[in-house]
Amino acid sequence: MEFKTIIEPFKIKSVEPIHMSTEEQRAGYMANAHYNPFLLQSREVIIDFLTDSGTSAMSSEQWAGIMRGDESYAGAVSWERLQHEIQGLTGYPHILPTHQGRAAEHILYSYLGGAGKVFISNTHFDTTRANIEFNGAMAIDIPAPEARDRNSDYPFKGNIDTRMLDEHIRNYGAENIGAVILTVTNNSGGGQPVSMQNAKDAAAICKKYGVLFIIDCCRIAENSYFIRHFEPEYSNVPYREIAQQMFSLADGAIMSAKKDALVNMGGFLALKNAELAEACMGLLIINEGFSTYGGLSGRDMEAIAIGLKEVFDEGYLNYRIKSTRYLGEHIKAKGVPVLYPIGGHAVYVNAGMLYPHIPVDQYPGQALVCELYRIGGIRAVEIGSVMFGKYDDNRKLIPAPIELVRLAIPRRVYTQSHIDYTVEVFDEIVKNAANTKGLRITKEPKFLRHFTAHFEPIG
């Protein structure tokens, strides 16, 4: 029998206090942070949905593993455990540990990239795109056509457009393609999953042209849940085996362990090809550390190895996906426009539809994150024209395809009452929608401006 109430499949063993601020206090905090939630202090936040990266609560087993951490500089036992776990999961022989996922991106894409190179993805995330473009290469997104219908219940809107993939490789020339990157789940595409069939089709195209095929696998356990529940041939396959099958299609993988490895810091690059791995290892040693620790302490490696097992637990994944869906379905029922169906790690609100009166160059997504904080102390992140917008030669904004706000839910951190509180905050968001005003940017860096940009309200 299945009950309607979602209960957390864990007991709380340690707690961290939350400072319950007032709306007046939060208005001051936000002004001091230049209307950018990234610049808030964590103690000023009631519920933090800024990111699910590195914000997980670790288990008692992981904390026990931390005590076993072998901090030897080279050849630590903790490295052996991590290497064994990653090799068993991915099937790749060459494992390079890094302090987080973007370090692995920097190593691989700086080696493969440069001027004239092209990288193709279902959707590049912000740090992936930045690492590619910083080295002079071009990053192209080709999400599947089904992703354009924001309200349909098609279950695999994270897919890559395989027709366009074949066309782009032919047009740019296979020798100019740095890599094809399949991000699972598709974070910037609304946290939507990728089907196994789509991964197979993309792998076949890459193989036909001799192009490197890489999986960005930081949420592969959550993606495996959707494959099992929406691709009938996988309905009885364990989640970990589904992930293993997807890894078998690719030439390598990058992981930010701060997501589905359930840890606060860490990542890795895993590769099939020995020559490519050796070249990347040279960059690893220069930039991160020796090849058997790569910027990680022994205790970090122990926690990752354990987390990579725990994340495939059926009870955990069932709770994780259903609790995220609960939030999305409940605010959708209140008239909040969300990307549908609800993804695995986050709920994505279409701020452009919520605030149709705010033009794109006044950043409706940034307006919503400020309102969420002012009203309820909830910190979220804009994934629209602040994060992905560009300027033309006349400094006119080229907006993102859609103005989104992401509510990324940390793993094993918040309870049902925190989610219900968030739903209540959206009642006030909807009531105040017509009166909400946009913002202008007053200061911004060249790359990844959403992290440090300053804003001011308009009007």
Side-chain angles (χ1 to χ4, degrees):
M1 181 176 179
E2 188 169 347
F3 295 96
K4 291 182 180 179
T5 302
I6 304 165
I7 68 167
E8 292 78 8
F10 50 81
K11 295 183 291 184
I12 295 171
K13 203 163 191 173
S14 181
V15 297
E16 179 182 342
I18 295 172
H19 171 61
M20 304 301 290
S21 57
T22 66
E23 187 172 324
E24 183 180 7
Q25 287 174 320
R26 292 193 293 272
Y29 296 152
M30 184 56 87
N32 291 337
H34 304 283
Y35 299 91
N36 185 343
F38 278 101
L39 303 180
L40 290 167
Q41 301 299 313
S42 65
R43 63 179 175 272
E44 299 167 347
V45 177
I46 293 175
I47 295 182
D48 204 341
F49 290 154
L50 186 72
T51 181
D52 64 319
S53 178
T55 56
S56 300
M58 290 199 297
S59 69
S60 56
E61 285 301 309
Q62 286 176 299
W63 282 108
I66 282 173
M67 295 304 295
R68 292 195 301 267
D70 177 359
E71 305 302 342
S72 302
Y73 185 90
V77 174
S78 298
W79 156 245
E80 291 179 19
R81 291 194 184 100
L82 178 63
Q83 182 185 45
H84 177 77
E85 181 60 33
I86 298 172
Q87 286 175 335
L89 176 61
T90 66
Y92 306 144
H94 307 289
I95 312 301
L96 284 70
T98 59
H99 80 274
Q100 60 178 353
R102 71 188 64 177
E105 290 175 340
H106 176 71
I107 289 168
L108 183 62
Y109 302 143
S110 61
Y111 178 77
L112 297 173
K117 289 292 185 179
V118 177
F119 292 79
I120 305 171
S121 178
N122 47 349
T123 311
H124 293 86
F125 193 55
D126 57 352
T127 59
T128 316
R129 179 177 294 277
N131 271 303
I132 289 168
E133 293 180 345
F134 183 78
N135 289 289
M138 181 188 303
I140 298 176
D141 297 335
I142 50 170
E146 292 87 352
R148 299 187 195 116
D149 186 347
R150 310 294 181 183
N151 296 311
S152 79
D153 59 0
Y154 182 71
F156 292 110
K157 291 182 182 177
N159 285 351
I160 193 168
D161 187 329
T162 52
R163 181 191 64 80
M164 289 189 69
L165 176 61
D166 192 286
E167 185 178 299
H168 280 335
I169 294 174
R170 284 187 282 107
N171 289 344
Y172 286 101
E175 69 279 7
N176 296 316
I177 306 298
V180 171
I181 306 164
L182 193 65
T183 306
V184 295
T185 56
N186 188 341
N187 188 3
S188 295
Q192 298 293 308
V194 175
S195 72
M196 186 71 79
Q197 187 58 54
N198 185 251
K200 288 179 179 179
D201 293 343
I205 292 169
C206 291
K207 186 175 182 179
K208 179 172 73 171
Y209 292 106
V211 170
L212 194 72
F213 183 37
I214 299 294
I215 293 177
D216 183 331
C217 65
C218 63
R219 297 178 181 87
I220 195 162
E222 293 173 5
N223 200 88
S224 297
Y225 176 95
F226 289 102
I227 289 174
R228 177 166 161 181
H229 289 270
F230 292 101
E231 282 189 275
E233 60 267 45
Y234 295 95
S235 61
N236 294 312
V237 180
Y239 295 124
R240 191 171 189 272
E241 290 183 21
I242 292 172
Q244 289 171 322
Q245 287 190 40
M246 185 167 278
F247 282 122
S248 73
L249 302 171
D251 299 301
I254 281 175
M255 185 176 203
S256 168
K258 296 164 69 176
K259 285 83 168 176
D260 268 359
L262 303 171
V263 294
N264 308 125
M265 189 56 66
F268 64 81
L269 169 62
L271 295 165
K272 282 182 179 177
N273 183 273
E275 185 177 347
L276 177 59
E278 185 173 353
C280 288
M281 189 175 292
L283 294 174
L284 173 79
I285 294 172
I286 291 170
N287 291 291
E288 290 283 292
F290 187 60
S291 59
T292 63
Y293 78 90
L296 292 171
S297 63
R299 54 187 175 270
D300 290 327
M301 292 189 279
E302 292 282 357
I304 294 169
I306 295 166
L308 286 172
K309 291 187 178 78
E310 291 183 347
V311 75
F312 289 103
D313 176 77
E314 295 209 3
Y316 163 76
L317 277 175
N318 184 61
Y319 148 78
R320 172 67 173 166
I321 304 302
K322 286 186 176 180
S323 60
T324 304
R325 186 182 301 156
Y326 177 94
L327 173 58
E329 297 283 3
H330 277 68
I331 65 172
K332 181 175 183 285
K334 294 177 180 295
V336 178
V338 299
L339 290 195
Y340 200 78
I342 308 303
H345 74 288
V347 176
Y348 290 72
V349 177
N350 188 330
M353 289 182 64
L354 182 64
Y355 299 138
H357 59 287
I358 301 179
V360 290
D361 60 356
Q362 294 180 18
Y363 307 109
Q366 197 70 16
L368 177 54
V369 297
C370 289
E371 282 292 277
L372 278 166
Y373 180 73
R374 179 184 67 83
I375 293 170
I378 297 169
R379 181 160 62 170
V381 63
E382 190 264 13
I383 301 189
S385 293
V386 174
M387 186 178 286
F388 291 116
K390 297 180 180 296
Y391 296 116
D392 65 14
D393 293 339
N394 298 314
R395 288 289 293 177
K396 182 180 179 182
L397 179 69
I398 303 170
I402 185 170
E403 304 298 323
L404 296 176
V405 165
R406 184 187 70 181
L407 306 169
I409 304 174
R411 295 162 181 83
R412 304 190 297 202
V413 171
Y414 294 116
T415 65
Q416 186 68 43
S417 63
H418 294 104
I419 301 300
D420 287 333
Y421 170 80
T422 303
V423 173
E424 287 189 47
V425 171
F426 270 98
D427 280 330
E428 296 303 312
I429 293 288
V430 172
K431 287 178 188 176
N432 296 330
N435 298 318
T436 302
K437 297 179 180 179
L439 301 101
R440 65 171 63 91
I441 295 177
T442 61
K443 179 183 175 183
E444 60 182 304
K446 185 176 181 180
F447 289 99
L448 297 172
R449 67 179 180 179
H450 56 287
F451 286 131
T452 57
H454 291 187
F455 300 83
E456 65 181 12
I458 294 175

